[in-house]
Amino acid sequence: MPPVSARLPVFPWDRLEPYKATAAAHPDGIVDLSVGTPVDPVPELIRAALADASDSPGYPTVWGTAALRDALTGWVERRLGAAGVTHTQVLPVVGSKELVASLPTQLGLGPGDRVAFPRLAYPTYEVGARLAGAEPVPYDEPTELDPAGLKLLWLNSPSNPTGQVLSKDELRTAVAWARAHGVLVVSDECYLELGWETDPVSVLHPEISGGSFEGLVAVHSLSKRSNLAGYRAAFLAGDEAVLGELLKIRKHGGMMVPAPVQAATAAALGDDKHVTEQRERYERRRAALRSALAGHGFRIEHSEASLYLWATRDEPCWDTVGALAELGILVAPGEFYGAAGERHVRVAFTATDERVEAAVRRLVG
């Protein structure tokens, strides 16, 4: 039996290790801007909720507690602008990456089915298609896709890696096209709270959805907005028929969010203050790095939202990675996100204030 991993590309981050070693040799230490992992403290009210729920000896439910579902529906209404959201239209998941990688399989897709995703994209969309044995199909414009055999259309706004945000018109057009062709739309909106130059909109907003969740699922994560990457706290919202089927499958698979994490998620979604404070931290870091990169000869493209700057010096991305590694700064080559990114790098601004300041000094020096 051939290994399942044979269907997959080489894990991209392994290719960055030599450059990481170079950056780590800098006398003032490495500034790792390659992975958008949170570094700031988990807000106290979330830690308190986790601790209060730590005596949880029994199995949690896959669907989550009623309190969690109340928090999920309340947040979707308050933040995404949807109305009348019910418990059957939300579903907690064990981190968004697990969901992205396994969704085509959980939907029953396989050989002969096609999964579409942006040409510049988070690589796990393609991984999910390949794990299911489906055909991965990158696109420039979703409405230009051949709908034959197309079962799943990924949207990603704000984008990882580019930070680009789809307009309301672009979202409406994509949703209308997919519905006309019977294609399920799954919108990865994990960076929706992090708009800098524009206010990202969910596919579940009535102006996009037309007031119906039919054929629409949105993916949301607390990793970035609440510094909860270590908690694996995420959820789906949307079409109750799709979520109901996923719930049945996930019950059989025991795909349960731990009970303390469920309590922490409910607390996080009920508080906007910590999100505002974290946004302010990121906004300062973003401004400092953007200015320093521009002064170092970089052009920043898109980047109106998310936790990244999509930067280029009009040279092969690995040359840029190597040059910055010599300064002790590690960034992600754009090639990780598709061939269309081969002359860009993705620069995360999730490092500490001290490390961001170090990067700025090296870039302007």
Side-chain angles (χ1 to χ4, degrees), residues 74-314:
W75 186 86
V76 169
E77 291 185 347
R78 185 179 81 252
R79 183 62 184 87
L80 304 187
V85 184
T86 67
H87 283 198
T88 58
Q89 295 172 316
V90 293
L91 180 65
V93 296
V94 191
S96 58
K97 184 167 186 175
E98 168 268 318
L99 184 281
V100 172
S102 63
L103 183 60
T105 299
Q106 292 182 46
L107 291 172
L109 305 189
D113 297 323
R114 301 164 71 231
V115 175
F117 48 85
R119 191 169 302 280
L120 269 172
Y122 185 47
T124 312
Y125 305 136
E126 178 178 354
V127 166
R130 292 188 179 280
L131 285 173
E135 178 188 353
V137 183
Y139 66 79
D140 294 308
E141 294 291 340
T143 56
E144 296 174 357
L145 287 162
D146 178 356
L150 185 61
K151 300 296 178 64
L152 171 58
L153 171 63
W154 281 105
L155 301 179
N156 180 210
S157 176
S159 164
N160 175 14
T162 69
Q164 185 173 14
V165 174
L166 296 177
S167 69
K168 288 182 179 180
D169 284 344
E170 288 173 316
L171 289 170
R172 271 193 296 265
T173 298
V175 167
W177 181 89
R179 283 174 165 169
H181 294 286
V183 178
L184 176 65
V185 172
V186 182
S187 180
D188 181 347
E189 303 174 353
C190 290
Y191 296 92
L192 186 130
E193 299 267 45
L194 297 165
W196 311 113
E197 298 167 12
T198 188
D199 187 16
V201 179
S202 171
V203 293
L204 302 184
H205 191 285
E207 292 185 24
I208 311 303
S209 69
S212 167
F213 289 174
E214 182 181 358
L216 304 177
V217 174
V219 182
H220 284 273
S221 168
L222 282 77
S223 292
K224 316 300 186 183
R225 71 185 293 279
S226 299
N227 299 335
L228 295 189
Y231 283 45
R232 311 314 302 134
F235 65 94
L236 306 179
D239 190 323
E240 64 183 355
V242 176
L243 299 194
E245 179 65 14
L246 291 175
L247 176 59
K248 292 175 184 177
I249 293 164
R250 296 174 72 83
K251 283 180 178 179
H252 281 290
M255 299 176 187
M256 300 171 282
V257 175
V261 175
Q262 292 189 27
T265 301
L269 291 175
D271 178 73
D272 294 331
K273 182 174 181 288
H274 78 276
V275 179
T276 300
E277 292 173 350
Q278 188 58 45
R279 276 181 51 88
E280 290 171 351
R281 294 188 189 105
Y282 285 142
E283 192 164 22
R284 291 194 301 271
R285 294 166 186 166
R286 176 181 184 270
L289 282 170
R290 184 172 190 136
S291 176
L293 287 165
H296 200 73
F298 283 89
R299 184 174 72 254
I300 308 299
E301 297 181 352
H302 305 304
S303 306
E304 57 258 33
S306 83
L307 289 177
Y308 312 107
L309 295 169
W310 187 238
T312 181
R313 290 198 304 194
D314 294 312

